Amino acid sequence: VPTDLSTGIETLKEKLLTMASYSEAAVNHAVKALMKRDDDLARQTREDDEIIDRLEMEIDAVSADLLTAQPDLFAIRFIIMAMKIAHDLERVGDEATTISRRCLELSREPVLPQVNEIPVIGRLALQMLKESLDAFVQQEPLKARDIIRSDDQVDDLNKRLRSELERIMIGNPASVPRCLNLMVISKSLERVADHATNIAEMVVYLYEGRDIRHSS
Amino acid sequence: VPTDLSTGIETLKEKLLTMASYSEAAVNHAVKALMKRDDDLARQTREDDEIIDRLEMEIDAVSADLLTAQPDLFAIRFIIMAMKIAHDLERVGDEATTISRRCLELSREPVLPQVNEIPVIGRLALQMLKESLDAFVQQEPLKARDIIRSDDQVDDLNKRLRSELERIMIGNPASVPRCLNLMVISKSLERVADHATNIAEMVVYLYEGRDIRHSS
C-alpha cells in the first residue's frame, strides 16, 4: 500500500478505472447472455463480480491508508469520491449478477418478445456509466451534470416496460414467471443508471466542491 | 462545522443516531401505513425522507471537514464508517419511500391476505437495523457478527413470499397488480436487512480493523 500521496492518488485512479471496466463488461455480458441465451456467459458474469468486490475492498484500504498521509482538501475530496464511486461500481457488479441469474431462468422457457426492450435500456444505462467515468477522467463536471439529466429517460423506459409486462401477465398467466424475470432485469438496469448518476454527482462534488445530491 | 476532532466525532455520532431513528421510524410508519391502509401516514414517510437525505449530506460535510484535522487511524476509520453508515441509512429511507408509494396503490384495492406476511419481515429487518446500531453504540463487534447471520432468514422469508405471490398471480390474474406491489414491498424490506448487514460489517471494521465484506 503506497504512503506517498500522489502515488496513492494515481493508484486509486487506476483501480477505479479497472473496476469501471469490469463493471461495464459485467453488465454488457449479462445483457448479451440474455439476448443470446448463453448460459455460460451468464455464469461467467459471477466470476467478474468477485474481482469487482475485491477491487472495492482494495480501494477502501488504499483510501484509509492515504488519509493518514495528511492529504490536502482536494486530495481528501478525491479519496472520499473514490470510495463512493467504488461502492457504486460494486453495486453495478451486483446488478449484473442479478441479471445473469434471471437469464439462466429465462433461457429455459420460450422467448417473450418484450425481451427486445432490454438491450435498449441496457445501452442507455451503460452509456451513462461510461460517460460518468469519462467526466471523472477528463475532469468535466459540466459533462457530469448532463448525465444526471438523462436518468429520467431510463426511468421512463423501465416504467413503460413494467406496465407492458403487467398487462401481459394479466392477459396470459402462463407468462408470469418470465415477465417477473424481465421486470427484475429491467429494474436492475435502471439501477445501473442510478449508480451512474451517483458517480456523476461525485464528479461534480470533486471538481466543484458542491454536494448536488437530492437537489433536483 | 466543528474543527476540534473529538467534538467532531461526537457530532458525527449524534447525527448518525438521529438519522438512524428517522430511518427506523420511516420504515415502521410505512409498514404501519400498509397494514392500517392509512394514506396520510404513507405520505408522511416521504417528508421524513427529506430529513434523512439532509442528514446524510451533513454527515458527509462534517466528515470531509474532520479529515482535514489530521485524525489518527481510529478516527479515520470512524469517519469512513460514519459516511458508509449514513449512506446505508439514507437508502433505508428510500426503501421506506418505496413502500409508502406502493401502500397508496394497495389501499385503493381489496386486501390480499398475503399482506400479513409483510409485518413479519418488517419486524425482523427493523430488529436487525436496531441491533446493528446498538452494536455500534455499545462498541460490540461480536454482536454485529451475529446480526450478519440473521440476514439469511429475511432473504428466505422474502423468497417464500415471492413464490407464493407468483403462484397467486398465475391462478388469479386480477390479483397481478396487488401481488406486484406486495413483491416490491417485501423486496424493499429485504433490502433494509441488507443495509443493516452493511452497517454491522462497518461496526466490525471499526472495532476490529477488519474488512469482512464478501467473506461469507
Side-chain angles (χ1 to χ4, degrees), chain A residues 39-96:
Chain A
D39 286 2
D40 288 336
L41 189 57
R43 269 183 288 264
Q44 198 199 297
T45 313
R46 297 205 202 176
E47 288 165 38
D48 286 345
D49 193 45
E50 282 173 36
I51 301 173
I52 294 168
D53 289 348
R54 215 178 325 121
L55 278 163
E56 186 197 11
M57 290 168 75
E58 286 173 25
I59 286 170
D60 279 355
V62 174
S63 295
D65 194 66
L66 276 179
L67 287 171
T68 64
Q70 304 189 5
D72 60 22
L73 190 60
F74 183 80
I76 287 174
R77 264 197 228 140
F78 187 96
I79 295 163
I80 290 176
M81 176 222 61
M83 287 191 287
K84 288 195 188 271
I85 292 183
H87 185 60
D88 280 295
L89 291 173
E90 190 265 333
R91 303 297 309 279
V92 169
D94 287 347
E95 298 303 343

Side-chain angles (χ1 to χ4, degrees), chain B residues 13 134-141 203 207:
Chain B
K13 206 175 207 168
D134 287 347
F136 163 58
V137 172
Q138 295 157 13
Q139 316 191 0
E140 300 218 44
V203 173
Y207 295 112

Side-chain angles (χ1 to χ4, degrees), chain B residues 46-91:
Chain B
R46 298 206 202 177
E47 288 165 38
D48 286 346
D49 193 45
E50 282 174 35
I51 300 172
I52 294 169
D53 289 347
R54 214 176 328 120
L55 278 163
E56 186 197 11
M57 291 169 74
E58 286 173 24
I59 286 170
D60 279 356
V62 173
S63 295
D65 194 67
L66 277 179
L67 286 170
T68 64
Q70 305 189 5
D72 60 22
L73 190 60
F74 183 79
I76 288 173
R77 264 198 229 138
F78 187 96
I79 295 163
I80 290 176
M81 177 220 61
M83 288 190 287
K84 289 197 188 269
I85 292 183
H87 186 59
D88 280 294
L89 292 174
E90 190 266 333
R91 304 295 309 280

Side-chain angles (χ1 to χ4, degrees), chain A residues 89-132:
Chain A
L89 291 173
E90 190 265 333
R91 303 297 309 279
V92 169
D94 287 347
E95 298 303 343
T97 308
T98 299
I99 296 170
S100 299
R101 204 178 302 129
R102 300 304 178 141
C103 285
L104 296 173
E105 292 190 20
L106 281 165
S107 68
R108 290 197 298 256
E109 293 201 68
V111 177
L112 270 186
Q114 283 69 26
V115 75
N116 293 317
E117 298 297 312
I118 298 294
V120 180
I121 306 176
R123 229 172 347 255
L124 258 172
L126 278 170
Q127 191 188 323
M128 284 175 65
L129 187 61
K130 202 190 158 326
E131 284 176 358
S132 69

Side-chain angles (χ1 to χ4, degrees), chain A residues 165-176, chain B residues 173 176:
Chain A
L165 291 168
E166 191 167 328
R167 209 172 35 74
I168 292 167
M169 284 192 270
I170 296 170
N172 173 18
S175 72
V176 162
Chain B
V176 162

Side-chain angles (χ1 to χ4, degrees), chain A residues 57, chain B residues 73-74 77-78 80-82 84-85 131-149 195-215:
Chain A
M57 290 168 75
Chain B
L73 190 60
F74 183 79
R77 264 198 229 138
F78 187 96
I80 290 176
M81 177 220 61
K84 289 197 188 269
I85 292 183
E131 283 176 358
S132 69
L133 283 141
D134 287 347
F136 163 58
V137 172
Q138 295 157 13
Q139 316 191 0
E140 300 218 44
L142 287 177
K143 219 172 181 175
R145 285 173 181 272
D146 283 342
I147 296 157
I148 298 165
R149 276 187 283 271
H195 292 299
T197 302
N198 293 348
I199 292 170
E201 285 171 348
M202 278 302 112
V203 173
V204 173
Y205 167 73
L206 177 65
Y207 295 112
E208 294 185 6
R210 223 177 304 208
D211 188 344
I212 60 166
R213 291 175 293 179
H214 313 299
S215 59

